[in-house]
Amino acid sequence: MKSKNWFKPKGYTHITKKLGIKQAGFVNSYVSNPTTVSKHRFYPLIHRTIVEKKYKEVIFPSGIKKRSHHKIENGKRITTAKFREIFYSTHIDAHIYSYYTQKLLSPLYENLLLADDELNRAVLAYRRIELPDGSRCKCNIDFANEVFEIIKALPGTQTVLAFDISKFFDSIDHKILKQKWCQLLKTSDLPTDHYKVFRSLTDFSYVELDSILKVLGYRHPNQLIQKNIESLIASGEQFRELIKYKGLIKKNPFRHKETRKIVGIPQGTPISAFLANVYMFDYDLEILKFLKPLGATYRRYSDDILVICPSQYESEIEQKVIAEITRFKLVIQASKTQKTWFYDGHLIGGQPVRYLGFEFDGKSKRLRSSSISKYYRNIKRLIKFKAVRAKKMKSKHPERAYIFKKQIYRSYSHLGAIKGHNRKRNYLSYVNLASEIMDASDANKAIKRQVSKSWKIINDEIVRQTRRHRLHNNEHSFNYYLGGQITDEGVQLSFK
């Protein structure tokens, strides 16, 4: 399999101009020159918060138990949503991070992992691990399936311990990170160019996306795409006038809870995920060394840690995992720690194992219900958006007042998941791959059955929104999508 190309043009709009394929030669000569990088001035990152609603089973003060996206604590309404803080860099800065990750540092890290078979199997996230036949790289489906197969095969009483590191990227200690970086390079101190990159991530500055849009007169990020804006700022003078002098630049916000010491690196840059793995290298080694005599299995996917062990050692192992993580100035999120017990591969206690978007109860492997719920919510959100847009169009163009279905089918139905067809993959493409890998020996095809009603749900929602907004029922608007005919019973395709 071909190695991954470090140069990948970014499509987003940032402070400076985009750098495409035509600028590849310039970018390569710039980022590969240590002297140039040593003198490079990194621009502030742009920050945005991604809110992911979590519909969880909640018990309200009245005693009613139901799924909700908020809960009540001490008489206050508290959201159950997950907030993901994303920071992204200017295009030239991103290419520097990509080059240093994939060309300079990653090969050194991979050599260390490949020298130890157990370590190589244990560290999963942010790596290109090929299948034995070289057809593709492994993904979270393969990793989850391997774990479930290990559980099925182990005899006797086994405990599956799942841990979650709280605020992983936000809590990384800078001194430890620098030590691991030097350890990787086999130097006592970081070379000037590497130190420059290190400082850009530990002493970083950023600008809120909403703030910069407001100053520039944009109401929503989508306007940048609609107006084909190449860069937010035209010159250094404009940067100082509109951003710097207006006080929009902020410094690294992460602080250690007790010492208030500055910690953490921004999540979202091309090098952040890799550095998180480097930071945990000695932790992975120490845990594996401890677990090996106990006959336990260890897996780490970024901040998700999973251990499969004989049940008599579960307490001892739990204490060791927590103690070691404390040494690295990190904290295990106790509320998310999960314990599940199996006997000869059969579930005997606790909830089914949940791992990397899947769950396993000893009998069948399934998609997590939260993942499917999110899929259906996204479908309904898109259809509602298109219905509202069509309603607004009624007065100007009555003949076009219907829901356009092409994007809906491409993004969420089996029409956008046809294997071998040259189209972008969607969620059902992912489901199909999961079914191929996990459902091979399952006569009931449990994973595919979980989304078997997707086509009906999509079309029922289109009909519902059409009636609600009194739109035209354009039944044939989607027939041209792939040159096929679609009916309630299914789809007949004729590729040209």
Side-chain angles (χ1 to χ4, degrees):
M1 181 177 288
K2 291 174 65 177
S3 60
K4 187 177 181 181
N5 186 2
W6 68 268
F7 179 75
K8 185 178 180 182
K10 315 297 179 183
Y12 56 76
T13 306
H14 212 285
I15 293 172
T16 59
K17 288 186 177 181
K18 299 176 183 179
L19 296 169
I21 297 296
K22 292 181 179 180
Q23 290 80 38
F26 159 74
V27 172
N28 184 67
S29 61
Y30 189 92
V31 304
S32 60
N33 188 331
T35 303
T36 305
V37 175
S38 300
K39 297 177 181 179
H40 179 74
R41 295 184 65 181
F42 287 86
Y43 269 91
L45 305 167
I46 287 181
H47 169 252
R48 62 180 298 204
T49 302
I50 298 176
V51 182
E52 297 179 0
K53 285 188 177 181
K54 297 286 184 178
Y55 286 82
K56 298 183 177 180
E57 197 170 73
V58 178
I59 301 176
F60 288 89
S62 60
I64 298 175
K65 188 176 183 180
K66 66 176 182 179
R67 291 180 66 83
S68 174
H69 56 81
H70 74 275
K71 57 185 177 180
I72 307 297
E73 286 186 5
N74 300 323
K76 294 182 179 180
R77 179 184 172 120
I78 301 173
T79 180
T80 59
K82 183 176 182 179
F83 298 90
R84 195 181 300 277
E85 309 299 333
I86 301 297
F87 299 83
Y88 53 105
S89 51
T90 63
H91 298 275
I92 189 63
D93 294 353
H95 291 311
I96 291 174
Y97 293 141
S98 293
Y99 182 82
Y100 273 71
T101 300
Q102 296 181 41
K103 295 292 286 185
L104 304 183
L105 298 174
S106 186
L108 301 176
Y109 178 69
E110 286 296 323
N111 287 338
L112 292 175
L113 296 185
L114 292 171
D116 186 323
D117 288 340
E118 291 184 359
L119 185 63
N120 188 42
R121 288 194 297 269
V123 181
L124 306 176
Y126 318 125
R127 298 179 60 207
R128 288 174 61 83
I129 304 173
E130 291 188 1
L131 289 174
D133 62 5
S135 59
R136 62 175 177 83
C137 289
K138 291 183 179 181
C139 62
N140 64 315
I141 302 172
D142 300 287
F143 300 140
N145 189 54
E146 287 171 5
V147 164
F148 298 156
E149 288 298 317
I150 289 172
I151 295 170
K152 282 174 64 176
L154 286 173
T157 305
Q158 302 284 332
T159 302
V160 180
L161 299 166
F163 306 93
D164 184 84
I165 302 174
S166 177
K167 298 181 179 179
F168 185 25
F169 288 86
D170 305 1
S171 306
I172 287 176
D173 184 84
H174 297 163
K175 185 177 180 180
I176 296 175
L177 177 61
K178 187 180 178 183
Q179 289 173 350
K180 304 309 171 192
W181 200 323
C182 291
Q183 182 181 327
L184 193 61
L185 295 174
K186 297 181 179 179
T187 58
S188 57
D189 203 359
L190 291 177
T192 308
D193 56 321
H194 283 261
Y195 183 72
K196 185 77 173 185
V197 176
F198 169 79
R199 287 292 291 171
S200 74
L201 294 159
T202 54
D203 189 30
F204 68 92
S205 58
Y206 68 98
V207 180
E208 294 288 352
L209 177 60
D210 291 342
S211 299
I212 194 170
L213 289 177
K214 185 177 180 180
V215 166
L216 296 174
Y218 298 113
R219 288 173 291 122
H220 194 277
N222 285 353
Q223 287 184 283
L224 302 176
I225 301 172
Q226 294 165 357
K227 297 185 178 182
N228 197 26
I229 304 298
E230 279 294 312
S231 64
L232 297 172
I233 301 298
S235 64
E237 182 181 350
Q238 190 181 33
F239 171 77
R240 289 186 290 273
E241 182 182 339
L242 297 181
I243 297 179
K244 186 176 181 180
Y245 297 154
K246 288 184 180 291
L248 299 185
I249 299 177
K250 301 179 181 179
K251 299 294 287 183
N252 181 350
F254 307 130
R255 297 290 186 277
H256 189 277
K257 190 174 181 180
E258 296 175 357
T259 65
R260 306 306 298 167
K261 176 183 173 184
I262 296 175
V263 293
I265 61 174
Q267 185 175 1
T269 74
I271 198 173
S272 299
F274 169 77
L275 291 180
N277 268 349
V278 172
Y279 186 85
M280 296 291 285
F281 180 76
D282 285 342
Y283 175 85
D284 295 329
L285 278 179
E286 182 60 31
I287 291 296
L288 281 169
K289 181 181 176 182
F290 176 80
L291 295 177
K292 188 174 181 179
L294 305 180
T297 300
Y298 170 72
R299 294 289 185 272
R300 182 178 65 80
Y301 192 99
S302 188
D303 56 354
D304 290 325
I305 296 171
L306 185 130
V307 178
I308 307 167
C309 64
S311 293
Q312 64 264 36
Y313 302 124
E314 68 176 67
S315 179
E316 183 182 352
I317 290 173
E318 183 177 5
Q319 292 174 21
K320 178 67 175 178
V321 167
I322 294 173
E324 283 299 316
I325 212 72
T326 303
R327 283 184 52 232
F328 285 79
K329 310 295 178 68
L330 300 172
V331 176
I332 293 293
Q333 201 166 177
S335 62
K336 288 191 176 182
T337 298
Q338 180 191 11
K339 293 183 184 180
T340 309
W341 294 270
F342 290 85
Y343 181 78
D344 288 347
H346 299 287
L347 181 67
I348 59 171
Q351 298 293 320
V353 175
R354 295 172 181 170
Y355 190 57
L356 303 183
F358 296 88
E359 56 187 29
F360 177 62
D361 61 3
K363 294 180 180 179
S364 60
K365 307 162 190 173
R366 295 175 178 271
L367 297 159
R368 288 189 63 172
S369 57
S370 58
S371 174
I372 300 171
S373 297
K374 182 180 178 181
Y375 163 63
Y376 287 133
R377 285 199 304 274
N378 288 340
I379 289 173
K380 293 179 180 181
R381 187 180 297 118
L382 177 61
I383 295 173
K384 181 180 178 181
F385 169 78
K386 287 188 171 293
V388 171
R389 175 184 281 185
K391 185 178 180 180
K392 290 179 180 178
M393 197 178 288
K394 282 178 75 173
S395 58
K396 294 182 179 180
H397 304 283
E399 75 282 359
R400 300 187 67 189
Y402 53 81
I403 296 174
F404 287 83
K405 304 179 179 71
K406 181 177 179 179
Q407 183 187 355
I408 299 169
Y409 290 137
R410 182 182 63 205
S411 301
Y412 295 109
S413 83
H414 58 283
L415 297 181
I418 298 170
K419 190 173 182 180
H421 194 57
N422 188 24
R423 290 186 180 273
K424 289 184 178 180
R425 293 174 292 178
N426 62 18
Y427 182 72
L428 292 187
S429 306
Y430 175 80
V431 172
N432 290 338
L433 180 59
S435 181
E436 286 179 19
I437 295 171
M438 293 187 173
D439 277 350
S441 59
D442 185 353
N444 294 322
K445 300 295 179 185
I447 290 176
K448 278 196 172 182
R449 286 178 62 195
Q450 287 182 278
V451 293
S452 61
K453 295 183 179 180
S454 60
W455 179 252
K456 184 177 185 302
I457 289 173
I458 291 172
N459 288 288
D460 284 353
E461 185 64 16
I462 289 173
V463 170
R464 191 178 77 84
Q465 290 292 346
T466 296
R467 290 173 178 170
R468 179 183 178 185
H469 296 283
R470 298 181 180 179
L471 304 173
H472 299 320
N473 184 16
N474 188 31
E475 296 179 354
H476 304 291
S477 67
F478 49 81
N479 284 348
Y480 66 91
Y481 175 64
L482 287 174
Q485 297 294 319
I486 304 170
T487 67
D488 290 338
E489 291 74 30
V491 59
Q492 297 175 346
L493 299 175
S494 56
F495 297 102
K496 297 180 181 179

